[in-house]
Amino acid sequence: MIRLTCRQVIARLADYIDAALGGLMRARVSLHLLLCSECRAYLETYRRTIALVGEAGRVEMPGDARHRVTRELLERLRREG
Ligand SMILES: [Zn+2]
């Protein structure tokens, strides 16, 4: 099983949280999260952001807002690494 890079994991976080990933990809993302504390931190940030938006609007987070979070996380990753 080929390991995912942090960038690949973060690009899939939204689908991972939505349980929209297929079994194999989900397993690969889970494995990466187990081994990588940085991506676990990104996952936490992501979940917090979604929770905040959910509380504020009481609606499902719109797709473009989700993509914005993903983009911000990827940019942060680029800057840091
Ligand atoms: Zn990682």
Side-chain angles (χ1 to χ4, degrees):
M1 186 140 70
I2 301 161
R3 296 262 298 270
L4 295 172
T5 65
C6 292
R7 206 159 291 188
Q8 289 172 317
V9 169
I10 286 166
R12 288 170 175 81
L13 274 186
D15 287 339
Y16 180 76
I17 289 171
D18 286 350
L21 291 177
L24 180 59
M25 183 51 75
R26 190 174 175 77
R28 290 169 75 189
V29 172
S30 295
L31 179 67
H32 185 104
L33 288 169
L34 269 179
L35 301 172
C36 180
S37 61
E38 270 183 61
C39 283
R40 280 203 301 274
Y42 284 120
L43 181 65
E44 265 313 297
T45 303
Y46 205 96
R47 283 199 164 126
R48 258 202 312 274
T49 307
I50 288 172
L52 280 177
V53 171
E55 275 169 29
R58 292 275 164 221
V59 288
E60 207 174 306
M61 194 170 177
D64 55 335
R66 260 212 308 259
H67 289 145
R68 202 175 61 226
V69 176
T70 303
R71 210 160 44 230
E72 278 166 16
L73 290 177
L74 283 171
E75 257 159 40
R76 199 158 92 191
L77 187 68
R78 231 186 334 264
R79 277 199 303 273
E80 288 170 2

